[in-house]
């Protein structure tokens, strides 16, 4: 155990080297305090060299108070409200002291920004609710656990202070397991009402543009949405993305289907000419459900974009790159093969061909499709149920 070490329970304290403080510079200090001055920092039994970053002032005259950000040469365990003193290194003279306002600012502040001083004033003198709301607004959406670490509030204070803005709708909880009136989990994400509005606006613009570019597609691939949203939310994790989608789906303005995401207002609508071609193609499928046109023939008849829309809409199923069936035909064939296997245990491609009066190409495509979806498994030249 070394001087300055702190004994504590697991998961509460963590060391820091960057600290926001309110400093009182003593009247008998020998000279005005300059930006980037070297000092010795003391808190509790800890001692370490430090540099002072003056905030909002170019110099701090003796006898005055001001906001500073201390860059500590060594890590020190600090919490909000801890007191400290600073001493001039040589000759060693106490020149000031103050209170830790934020032990984890996360980054160096710009020195002459009014909003920085406003945040520090709130941290020093605001209510716990004001402190929490201010921090959420700066870094939203943010995890409750990180929020507590940054603000220095206890779990009890934070729980009470977050409860009211959550109840009145100022703050939203992004956690699909959270129920109104329950305690807010430390792992939950929170966002202000205006912050959620900004997320919604971004997603609506992103998906709206995609729908305009590709009107016949069901929606944008999920991973593409995540990738593009990350440009505007750099700290977007997979878990946060899932919670954002879950909330948007719950609110009813977004729909997620089969790995794609779309606005609930979007519908893929064919032009009259396209619809006429689609009707004729589907009629062809119904006339010979087990000997259907190939993928290339379908694309030639209705166009690649319309064909892909029919597949995305679930009206057609591609068994492979050449064979396509009506969805209802594919489901009937699947059910027929499964029923046969439950009774006979094994089936060959030839038996599938004969069962439906089709060709080997279609039978082979069907059993390959069932294998891929882990409905059947190949054993030699036969298939069995998984």
């Amino acid at each position: 155990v070394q001087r300055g070490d702190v004994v504590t329970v697991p998961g509460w304290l963590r060391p820091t080297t960057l600290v926001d403080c309110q400093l009182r510079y003593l009247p008998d200090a020998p000279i005005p305090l300059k930006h980037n001055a070297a000092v010795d920092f003391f808190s509790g039994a800890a001692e370490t060299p430090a540099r002072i970053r003056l905030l909002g002032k170019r110099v701090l005259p003796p006898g005055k108070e001001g906001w500073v950000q201390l860059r500590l040469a060594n890590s020190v365990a600090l919490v909000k409200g801890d007191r400290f003193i600073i001493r001039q290194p040589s000759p060693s003279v106490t020149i000031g002291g103050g209170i830790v306002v934020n032990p984890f600012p996360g980054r160096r502040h710009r020195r002459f920004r009014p909003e920085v001083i406003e945040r520090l004033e709130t941290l020093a003198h605001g209510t716990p609710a004001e402190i929490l709301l201010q921090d959420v607004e700066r870094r939203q959406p943010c995890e409750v656990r990180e929020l507590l670490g940054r603000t220095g509030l206890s779990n009890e204070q934070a729980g009470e202070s977050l409860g009211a803005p959550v109840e009145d709708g100022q703050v939203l909880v992004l956690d699909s397991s959270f129920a109104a009136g329950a305690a807010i989990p430390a792992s939950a994400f929170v966002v202000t009402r205006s912050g959620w509005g900004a997320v919604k606006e971004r997603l609506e613009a992103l998906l709206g543009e995609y729908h305009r570019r590709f009107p016949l597609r069901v929606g944008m691939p999920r991973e593409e949405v995540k990738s593009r949203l990350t440009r505007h939310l750099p700290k977007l994790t997979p878990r946060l993305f899932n919670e954002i989608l879950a909330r948007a789906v719950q609110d009813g303005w977004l729909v997620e289907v089969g790995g794609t995401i779309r606005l609930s207002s979007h519908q893929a609508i064919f032009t009259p000419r396209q619809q006429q071609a689609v009707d004729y193609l589907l009629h062809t499928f119904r006339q010979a459900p087990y000997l259907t046109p190939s993928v290339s023939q379908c694309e030639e008849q209705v166009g690649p974009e319309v064909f892909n829309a029919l597949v995305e809409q679930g009206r057609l199923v591609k068994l492979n790159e050449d064979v396509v069936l009506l969805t209802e035909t594919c489901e009937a064939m699947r059910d027929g093969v499964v029923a046969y296997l439950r009774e006979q245990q094994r089936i060959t491609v030839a038996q599938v061909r004969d069962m439906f009066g089709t060709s080997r190409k279609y039978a082979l495509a069907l059993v390959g499709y069932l294998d891929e979806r882990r409905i059947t498994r190949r054993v030699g030249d036969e298939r069995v149920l998984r």
Side-chain angles (χ1 to χ4, degrees):
V1 178
Q2 305 295 321
R3 175 180 172 176
D5 288 350
V6 177
V7 179
T8 182
V9 295
W12 179 52
L13 279 179
R14 57 191 175 100
T16 182
T17 57
L18 191 65
V19 192
D20 291 341
C21 303
Q22 193 170 32
L23 173 69
R24 178 169 172 254
Y25 197 46
L26 292 180
D28 57 358
I31 58 173
L33 185 64
K34 295 181 179 179
H35 175 67
N36 210 34
V39 297
D40 288 329
F41 172 91
F42 299 81
S43 183
E47 173 186 356
T48 181
R51 289 278 180 178
I52 289 186
R53 304 189 71 249
L54 291 177
L55 302 176
K57 298 178 184 293
R58 298 196 179 278
V59 296
L60 188 63
K64 298 297 183 180
E65 294 187 358
W67 294 105
V68 298
Q69 190 171 54
L70 296 174
R71 170 72 70 178
L72 308 180
N74 302 297
S75 297
V76 178
L78 295 168
V79 297
K80 182 183 176 185
D82 278 354
R83 294 185 177 273
F84 68 92
I85 64 169
I86 56 171
R87 291 174 67 87
Q88 179 180 283
S90 180
S92 185
V93 178
T94 299
I95 55 175
I99 298 175
V100 173
V101 173
N102 185 3
F104 301 105
R107 61 186 175 187
R108 292 174 55 181
H109 299 310
R110 294 188 179 180
R111 292 184 57 204
F112 300 100
R113 298 293 287 268
E115 63 270 24
V116 170
I117 304 303
E118 289 174 12
R119 284 198 297 269
L120 293 173
E121 291 282 358
T122 301
L123 283 172
H125 308 297
T127 65
E130 289 171 334
I131 293 170
L132 286 169
L133 273 175
Q134 182 190 75
D135 196 86
V136 173
E137 286 171 351
R138 285 183 65 202
R139 306 170 191 263
Q140 58 188 330
C142 63
E143 193 177 21
V144 172
R145 184 182 293 108
E146 293 180 3
L147 181 64
L148 302 186
R150 285 195 300 266
T151 57
L153 298 174
S154 68
N155 288 355
E156 185 178 354
Q157 283 179 311
E160 293 174 356
S161 303
L162 265 180
V166 168
E167 285 180 13
D168 64 21
Q170 280 184 281
V171 172
L172 304 179
V173 179
L174 302 180
D175 188 318
S176 48
S177 64
F178 173 72
I184 302 171
S187 60
F189 295 95
V190 287
V191 61
T192 63
R193 175 66 65 180
S194 61
W196 178 244
V199 173
K200 179 180 179 182
E201 185 178 338
R202 173 52 52 191
L203 276 172
E204 287 181 329
L206 184 66
L207 291 167
E209 173 61 23
Y210 188 87
H211 294 330
R212 283 188 290 274
R213 287 178 58 205
F214 307 105
L216 296 182
R217 294 186 185 176
V218 171
M220 183 185 289
R222 196 178 197 276
E223 284 306 308
E224 187 176 349
V225 175
K226 180 178 179 296
S227 175
R228 293 196 183 188
L229 190 60
T230 302
R231 299 173 192 173
H232 304 278
L233 295 175
K235 294 185 178 180
L236 184 69
T237 63
R239 189 166 65 87
L240 174 56
F241 180 62
N242 291 342
E243 294 296 353
I244 288 174
L245 290 190
R247 179 67 187 228
V249 170
Q250 178 186 325
D251 289 351
W253 54 271
L254 192 144
V255 177
E256 183 176 7
V257 179
T260 64
I261 298 169
R262 65 174 174 86
L263 296 175
S264 58
S265 57
H266 172 70
Q267 283 185 321
I269 300 176
F270 300 125
T271 66
R273 186 172 181 177
Q274 289 170 333
Q275 188 61 56
Q276 186 178 9
V278 166
D279 292 342
Y280 182 79
L281 177 67
L282 297 182
H283 173 73
T284 304
F285 272 76
R286 295 187 185 100
Q287 289 291 101
Y290 305 122
L291 294 168
T292 55
S294 67
V295 170
S296 59
Q297 289 173 327
C298 292
E299 291 180 340
E300 184 179 347
Q301 185 168 331
V302 298
E305 192 174 7
V306 173
F307 171 72
N308 288 332
L310 291 172
V311 174
E312 286 187 343
Q313 291 171 10
R315 299 166 75 177
L316 295 177
V317 177
K318 282 177 67 176
L319 302 187
N320 57 30
E321 291 306 308
D322 187 45
V323 177
V324 58
L325 297 173
L326 281 173
T327 299
E328 54 264 36
T329 302
C330 182
E331 291 173 351
M333 295 177 80
R334 176 201 63 201
D335 293 346
V337 170
V338 169
Y340 183 93
L341 285 171
R342 283 179 178 154
E343 184 176 333
Q344 304 294 332
Q345 281 73 55
R346 294 173 179 272
I347 194 169
T348 64
V349 173
Q351 287 171 321
V352 172
R353 177 198 62 199
D354 296 341
M355 182 186 301
F356 299 105
T358 185
S359 70
R360 179 176 175 80
K361 180 180 81 169
Y362 289 87
L364 196 58
L366 178 66
V367 296
Y369 174 84
L370 297 178
D371 289 346
E372 286 179 6
R373 275 144 190 79
R374 303 181 66 82
I375 297 170
T376 58
R377 176 168 57 88
R378 182 173 180 174
V379 178
D381 291 332
E382 298 175 313
R383 259 67 179 186
V384 296
L385 280 176
R386 279 192 179 272

